[in-house]
PDB file of all heavy atoms in Angstrom:
ATOM      1  N   LYS A 532     181.990-100.062  20.640  1.00 96.00           N
ATOM      2  CA  LYS A 532     182.272 -99.022  21.626  1.00 96.00           C
ATOM      3  C   LYS A 532     182.194 -97.665  20.956  1.00 96.00           C
ATOM      4  O   LYS A 532     182.570 -97.524  19.787  1.00 96.00           O
ATOM      5  CB  LYS A 532     183.669 -99.227  22.236  1.00 96.00           C
ATOM      6  CG  LYS A 532     183.968 -98.244  23.370  1.00 96.00           C
ATOM      7  CD  LYS A 532     185.265 -98.570  24.070  1.00 96.00           C
ATOM      8  CE  LYS A 532     185.506 -97.600  25.218  1.00 96.00           C
ATOM      9  NZ  LYS A 532     186.756 -97.896  25.942  1.00 96.00           N
ATOM     10  N   VAL A 533     181.716 -96.676  21.698  1.00 97.00           N
ATOM     11  CA  VAL A 533     181.693 -95.299  21.195  1.00 97.00           C
ATOM     12  C   VAL A 533     182.176 -94.361  22.297  1.00 97.00           C
ATOM     13  O   VAL A 533     181.932 -94.613  23.487  1.00 97.00           O
ATOM     14  CB  VAL A 533     180.276 -94.912  20.703  1.00 97.00           C
ATOM     15  CG1 VAL A 533     179.266 -94.907  21.858  1.00 97.00           C
ATOM     16  CG2 VAL A 533     180.283 -93.560  20.010  1.00 97.00           C
ATOM     17  N   GLU A 534     182.903 -93.328  21.911  1.00 96.00           N
ATOM     18  CA  GLU A 534     183.294 -92.267  22.847  1.00 96.00           C
ATOM     19  C   GLU A 534     182.919 -90.923  22.228  1.00 96.00           C
ATOM     20  O   GLU A 534     183.016 -90.736  21.007  1.00 96.00           O
ATOM     21  CB  GLU A 534     184.793 -92.339  23.159  1.00 96.00           C
ATOM     22  CG  GLU A 534     185.153 -93.599  23.943  1.00 96.00           C
ATOM     23  CD  GLU A 534     186.372 -93.440  24.855  1.00 96.00           C
ATOM     24  OE1 GLU A 534     187.199 -92.549  24.580  1.00 96.00           O
ATOM     25  OE2 GLU A 534     186.494 -94.212  25.822  1.00 96.00           O
ATOM     26  N   TYR A 535     182.501 -89.989  23.104  1.00 96.00           N
ATOM     27  CA  TYR A 535     181.951 -88.700  22.681  1.00 96.00           C
ATOM     28  C   TYR A 535     182.780 -87.634  23.386  1.00 96.00           C
ATOM     29  O   TYR A 535     182.634 -87.430  24.590  1.00 96.00           O
ATOM     30  CB  TYR A 535     180.480 -88.677  23.138  1.00 96.00           C
ATOM     31  CG  TYR A 535     179.576 -87.644  22.526  1.00 96.00           C
ATOM     32  CD1 TYR A 535     179.981 -86.812  21.489  1.00 96.00           C
ATOM     33  CD2 TYR A 535     178.261 -87.509  22.998  1.00 96.00           C
ATOM     34  CE1 TYR A 535     179.110 -85.894  20.945  1.00 96.00           C
ATOM     35  CE2 TYR A 535     177.369 -86.591  22.464  1.00 96.00           C
ATOM     36  CZ  TYR A 535     177.800 -85.778  21.426  1.00 96.00           C
ATOM     37  OH  TYR A 535     176.933 -84.862  20.882  1.00 96.00           O
ATOM     38  N   LYS A 536     183.697 -86.962  22.668  1.00 95.00           N
ATOM     39  CA  LYS A 536     184.630 -86.036  23.315  1.00 95.00           C
ATOM     40  C   LYS A 536     184.509 -84.646  22.697  1.00 95.00           C
ATOM     41  O   LYS A 536     184.502 -84.487  21.481  1.00 95.00           O
ATOM     42  CB  LYS A 536     186.084 -86.530  23.163  1.00 95.00           C
ATOM     43  CG  LYS A 536     186.328 -87.924  23.755  1.00 95.00           C
ATOM     44  CD  LYS A 536     186.107 -87.962  25.256  1.00 95.00           C
ATOM     45  CE  LYS A 536     186.343 -89.355  25.822  1.00 95.00           C
ATOM     46  NZ  LYS A 536     186.030 -89.431  27.264  1.00 95.00           N
ATOM     47  N   THR A 537     184.447 -83.647  23.574  1.00 94.00           N
ATOM     48  CA  THR A 537     184.197 -82.266  23.120  1.00 94.00           C
ATOM     49  C   THR A 537     185.475 -81.434  23.112  1.00 94.00           C
ATOM     50  O   THR A 537     186.424 -81.713  23.845  1.00 94.00           O
ATOM     51  CB  THR A 537     183.177 -81.599  24.057  1.00 94.00           C
ATOM     52  OG1 THR A 537     183.642 -81.753  25.412  1.00 94.00           O
ATOM     53  CG2 THR A 537     181.815 -82.237  23.934  1.00 94.00           C
ATOM     54  N   THR A 538     185.473 -80.403  22.262  1.00 94.00           N
ATOM     55  CA  THR A 538     186.599 -79.463  22.212  1.00 94.00           C
ATOM     56  C   THR A 538     186.049 -78.042  22.338  1.00 94.00           C
ATOM     57  O   THR A 538     184.931 -77.762  21.887  1.00 94.00           O
ATOM     58  CB  THR A 538     187.369 -79.584  20.877  1.00 94.00           C
ATOM     59  OG1 THR A 538     186.467 -79.336  19.797  1.00 94.00           O
ATOM     60  CG2 THR A 538     187.971 -80.960  20.693  1.00 94.00           C
ATOM     61  N   ARG A 539     186.854 -77.163  22.911  1.00 92.00           N
ATOM     62  CA  ARG A 539     186.431 -75.767  23.055  1.00 92.00           C
ATOM     63  C   ARG A 539     186.328 -75.081  21.692  1.00 92.00           C
ATOM     64  O   ARG A 539     185.420 -74.310  21.434  1.00 92.00           O
ATOM     65  CB  ARG A 539     187.452 -74.993  23.909  1.00 92.00           C
ATOM     66  CG  ARG A 539     187.189 -75.085  25.384  1.00 92.00           C
ATOM     67  CD  ARG A 539     188.029 -74.099  26.173  1.00 92.00           C
ATOM     68  NE  ARG A 539     187.650 -74.171  27.592  1.00 92.00           N
ATOM     69  CZ  ARG A 539     188.067 -75.112  28.421  1.00 92.00           C
ATOM     70  NH1 ARG A 539     188.900 -76.041  27.964  1.00 92.00           N
ATOM     71  NH2 ARG A 539     187.672 -75.136  29.674  1.00 92.00           N
ATOM     72  N   ALA A 540     187.279 -75.404  20.829  1.00 88.00           N
ATOM     73  CA  ALA A 540     187.433 -74.620  19.608  1.00 88.00           C
ATOM     74  C   ALA A 540     186.552 -75.105  18.453  1.00 88.00           C
ATOM     75  O   ALA A 540     186.295 -74.352  17.525  1.00 88.00           O
ATOM     76  CB  ALA A 540     188.898 -74.633  19.172  1.00 88.00           C
ATOM     77  N   GLY A 541     186.111 -76.346  18.482  1.00 87.00           N
ATOM     78  CA  GLY A 541     185.392 -76.838  17.301  1.00 87.00           C
ATOM     79  C   GLY A 541     184.372 -77.891  17.627  1.00 87.00           C
ATOM     80  O   GLY A 541     183.852 -77.974  18.739  1.00 87.00           O
ATOM     81  N   GLU A 542     184.102 -78.705  16.612  1.00 91.00           N
ATOM     82  CA  GLU A 542     183.095 -79.760  16.722  1.00 91.00           C
ATOM     83  C   GLU A 542     183.574 -80.870  17.659  1.00 91.00           C
ATOM     84  O   GLU A 542     184.775 -81.095  17.802  1.00 91.00           O
ATOM     85  CB  GLU A 542     182.858 -80.361  15.333  1.00 91.00           C
ATOM     86  CG  GLU A 542     182.365 -79.383  14.291  1.00 91.00           C
ATOM     87  CD  GLU A 542     180.864 -79.154  14.393  1.00 91.00           C
ATOM     88  OE1 GLU A 542     180.184 -79.960  15.040  1.00 91.00           O
ATOM     89  OE2 GLU A 542     180.393 -78.145  13.847  1.00 91.00           O
ATOM     90  N   PRO A 543     182.618 -81.610  18.277  1.00 93.00           N
ATOM     91  CA  PRO A 543     183.036 -82.745  19.109  1.00 93.00           C
ATOM     92  C   PRO A 543     183.528 -83.907  18.239  1.00 93.00           C
ATOM     93  O   PRO A 543     183.210 -83.999  17.054  1.00 93.00           O
ATOM     94  CB  PRO A 543     181.759 -83.127  19.860  1.00 93.00           C
ATOM     95  CG  PRO A 543     180.643 -82.639  19.014  1.00 93.00           C
ATOM     96  CD  PRO A 543     181.161 -81.417  18.294  1.00 93.00           C
ATOM     97  N   PHE A 544     184.301 -84.803  18.864  1.00 95.00           N
ATOM     98  CA  PHE A 544     184.763 -86.032  18.221  1.00 95.00           C
ATOM     99  C   PHE A 544     183.841 -87.171  18.640  1.00 95.00           C
ATOM    100  O   PHE A 544     183.560 -87.322  19.836  1.00 95.00           O
ATOM    101  CB  PHE A 544     186.185 -86.391  18.680  1.00 95.00           C
ATOM    102  CG  PHE A 544     187.274 -85.584  18.019  1.00 95.00           C
ATOM    103  CD1 PHE A 544     187.676 -84.358  18.544  1.00 95.00           C
ATOM    104  CD2 PHE A 544     187.912 -86.062  16.877  1.00 95.00           C
ATOM    105  CE1 PHE A 544     188.692 -83.636  17.952  1.00 95.00           C
ATOM    106  CE2 PHE A 544     188.935 -85.336  16.280  1.00 95.00           C
ATOM    107  CZ  PHE A 544     189.322 -84.122  16.819  1.00 95.00           C
ATOM    108  N   ILE A 545     183.386 -87.954  17.651  1.00 96.00           N
ATOM    109  CA  ILE A 545     182.706 -89.220  17.961  1.00 96.00           C
ATOM    110  C   ILE A 545     183.621 -90.317  17.414  1.00 96.00           C
ATOM    111  O   ILE A 545     183.899 -90.367  16.213  1.00 96.00           O
ATOM    112  CB  ILE A 545     181.311 -89.298  17.326  1.00 96.00           C
ATOM    113  CG1 ILE A 545     180.390 -88.226  17.933  1.00 96.00           C
ATOM    114  CG2 ILE A 545     180.706 -90.692  17.544  1.00 96.00           C
ATOM    115  CD1 ILE A 545     179.017 -88.151  17.289  1.00 96.00           C
ATOM    116  N   ILE A 546     184.121 -91.158  18.314  1.00 97.00           N
ATOM    117  CA  ILE A 546     185.095 -92.195  17.932  1.00 97.00           C
ATOM    118  C   ILE A 546     184.475 -93.557  18.229  1.00 97.00           C
ATOM    119  O   ILE A 546     183.931 -93.775  19.323  1.00 97.00           O
ATOM    120  CB  ILE A 546     186.418 -91.993  18.701  1.00 97.00           C
ATOM    121  CG1 ILE A 546     186.976 -90.598  18.397  1.00 97.00           C
ATOM    122  CG2 ILE A 546     187.439 -93.068  18.326  1.00 97.00           C
ATOM    123  CD1 ILE A 546     188.062 -90.145  19.322  1.00 97.00           C
ATOM    124  N   LEU A 547     184.532 -94.462  17.258  1.00 96.00           N
ATOM    125  CA  LEU A 547     183.855 -95.746  17.451  1.00 96.00           C
ATOM    126  C   LEU A 547     184.634 -96.877  16.800  1.00 96.00           C
ATOM    127  O   LEU A 547     185.413 -96.665  15.866  1.00 96.00           O
ATOM    128  CB  LEU A 547     182.434 -95.684  16.871  1.00 96.00           C
ATOM    129  CG  LEU A 547     182.318 -95.280  15.396  1.00 96.00           C
ATOM    130  CD1 LEU A 547     181.799 -96.436  14.572  1.00 96.00           C
ATOM    131  CD2 LEU A 547     181.385 -94.083  15.264  1.00 96.00           C
ATOM    132  N   SER A 548     184.427 -98.096  17.311  1.00 95.00           N
ATOM    133  CA  SER A 548     185.019 -99.300  16.714  1.00 95.00           C
ATOM    134  C   SER A 548     183.895-100.196  16.240  1.00 95.00           C
ATOM    135  O   SER A 548     182.852-100.302  16.882  1.00 95.00           O
ATOM    136  CB  SER A 548     185.891-100.041  17.728  1.00 95.00           C
ATOM    137  OG  SER A 548     185.111-100.521  18.797  1.00 95.00           O
ATOM    138  N   GLY A 549     184.109-100.855  15.095  1.00 92.00           N
ATOM    139  CA  GLY A 549     183.082-101.716  14.519  1.00 92.00           C
ATOM    140  C   GLY A 549     182.138-100.911  13.652  1.00 92.00           C
ATOM    141  O   GLY A 549     182.427 -99.788  13.238  1.00 92.00           O
TER     142      GLY A 549
END
Side-chain angles (χ1 to χ4, degrees):
K532 185 173 182 179
V533 64
E534 293 209 337
Y535 196 6
K536 301 297 180 184
T537 52
T538 58
R539 273 192 176 79
E542 300 278 344
F544 282 87
I545 295 175
I546 302 166
L547 56 114
S548 64

